[in-house]
Amino acid sequence: MMRFWPLLGVSLLIFGACVPNKKLVYLQKDDLKRRKEIPKDTVLRSHTLNIREYRIQPLDILSITFETLSKEGDESDFLQKLSTRTSSGGSGGGGGSGGATNGIVVNTEGEIDYAVLGKIKVSGLTLFEAKDSIEKVASQYVPDVVARVRMMNFRFTILGEVNGENTVVSGNTRLTMMEAIGLSGGLSELADRSHVKVLRQKGSEVEVFYVDLLKEEYVESPYYYVQQNDVIIVPPLKQRPFRKYFVGNLGVITTVISFGLFIITLSR
């Protein structure tokens, strides 16, 4: 009878360390309960996304290039000097190896500053709105000018129970939480996907909120999209200590228990 209790305790600890599928599958509804009933090649339901276009902030770094249909040499040289992208010869193969790319920093007042064009307010604008504002100013000097504006330092940091803690820089400013997790290498099996913490900078303040990645309705949340400088912290499940420390040392624990039972048996 004495041998039964240690074995029962070990069994309870092992099964207590198991992680069910309902704690691992992203954006689930009731699909896990009725897998065999789900029709294939059929739209089950749809969600309306709460899309929020990224708005430029002070200290953002922008890549701004200009183009025009005009063939005048002076105008072309003028625009080339304004562009943040300059070619240094050679032919790059998609990685930009044939040229150097420099950005222009948005100052603390939310402006970009050109020697000829002057200061242009871009903070609070989307990239497309900033493009229109820059084109309006540049068209006073060069007709038919087209500006192309892109973010160069859109980044987020992901920490905790992930397959690789990292600060990720992306060229895509409309980045969902799922895409951000994918770019960082994904979450570990012991990550608590139902209580993911996000720190979001808003001016001189930091907002703190939690999101539940297990619920399908999360795609409709205003927090579905990652913002500049977001810090995503993924906590562990309560099974983590068992899986990491107990199961990893199960052989040692079993040996100790067996040795203890052996000593008890001999002492009778």
Side-chain angles (χ1 to χ4, degrees):
M1 185 66 180
M2 292 184 64
R3 296 183 180 181
F4 170 76
W5 293 109
L7 291 175
L8 177 61
V10 171
S11 300
L12 290 176
L13 287 174
I14 292 175
F15 285 108
C18 294
V19 181
N21 286 336
K22 67 179 182 179
K23 293 186 178 182
L24 297 176
V25 180
Y26 296 103
L27 305 178
Q28 57 187 278
K29 204 169 179 66
D30 55 353
D31 303 341
L32 292 178
K33 300 178 182 178
R34 54 186 191 91
R35 291 182 179 180
K36 296 181 180 180
E37 303 173 11
I38 298 176
K40 303 302 187 291
D41 302 319
T42 301
V43 177
L44 296 180
R45 49 192 170 266
S46 62
H47 297 273
T48 301
L49 297 178
N50 190 344
I51 298 176
R52 294 187 176 184
E53 293 289 345
Y54 177 74
R55 295 189 176 274
I56 299 170
Q57 303 176 29
L59 303 183
D60 280 351
I61 303 176
L62 304 179
S63 169
I64 305 175
T65 58
F66 295 89
E67 297 177 4
T68 182
L69 295 176
S70 175
K71 297 182 180 180
E72 295 291 336
D74 292 342
E75 293 176 348
S76 179
D77 292 341
F78 174 72
L79 292 178
Q80 187 175 4
K81 291 178 180 179
L82 291 179
S83 297
T84 57
R85 187 184 301 263
T86 57
S87 176
S88 59
S91 56
S97 59
T101 302
N102 301 310
I104 183 168
V105 180
V106 181
N107 64 25
T108 55
E109 301 299 322
E111 302 169 329
I112 54 175
D113 193 3
Y114 283 103
V116 178
L117 303 183
K119 295 182 178 180
I120 305 174
K121 183 78 172 181
V122 294
S123 180
L125 304 180
T126 66
L127 294 179
F128 294 105
E129 291 171 345
K131 160 186 159 64
D132 293 338
S133 296
I134 295 170
E135 284 179 352
K136 184 177 180 180
V137 176
S139 63
Q140 301 175 17
Y141 301 87
V142 179
D144 303 320
V145 65
V146 175
R148 305 190 187 281
V149 183
R150 295 193 65 182
M151 276 280 296
M152 294 181 62
N153 68 326
F154 186 86
R155 63 183 183 180
F156 64 91
T157 300
I158 186 163
L159 306 170
E161 284 296 319
V162 296
N163 291 326
E165 293 184 323
N166 198 9
T167 295
V168 182
V169 179
S170 172
N172 179 15
T173 57
R174 188 186 290 183
L175 200 65
T176 69
M177 182 65 72
M178 300 304 168
E179 291 172 322
I181 291 172
L183 287 174
S184 63
L187 305 185
S188 72
E189 184 180 352
L190 298 176
D192 187 350
R193 292 158 173 80
S194 64
H195 292 89
V196 176
K197 185 177 183 179
V198 181
L199 280 67
R200 177 164 295 173
Q201 183 177 341
K202 287 291 185 69
S204 60
E205 297 182 351
V206 174
E207 297 179 346
V208 180
F209 56 89
Y210 285 82
V211 297
D212 187 349
L213 305 183
L214 297 180
K215 294 183 178 179
E216 186 178 288
E217 289 77 14
Y218 173 57
V219 300
E220 298 182 3
S221 168
Y223 303 110
Y224 185 53
Y225 289 90
V226 175
Q227 295 294 319
Q228 168 80 311
N229 294 323
D230 274 1
V231 177
I232 304 166
I233 303 174
V234 185
L237 290 168
K238 63 181 181 180
Q239 287 90 343
R240 182 177 181 272
F242 296 106
R243 291 283 292 273
K244 186 171 183 179
Y245 301 108
F246 177 77
V247 176
N249 297 298
L250 184 58
V252 177
I253 295 172
T254 304
T255 301
V256 172
I257 293 175
S258 299
F259 182 74
L261 292 174
F262 177 71
I263 296 297
I264 293 173
T265 302
L266 292 179
S267 63
R268 288 180 177 179

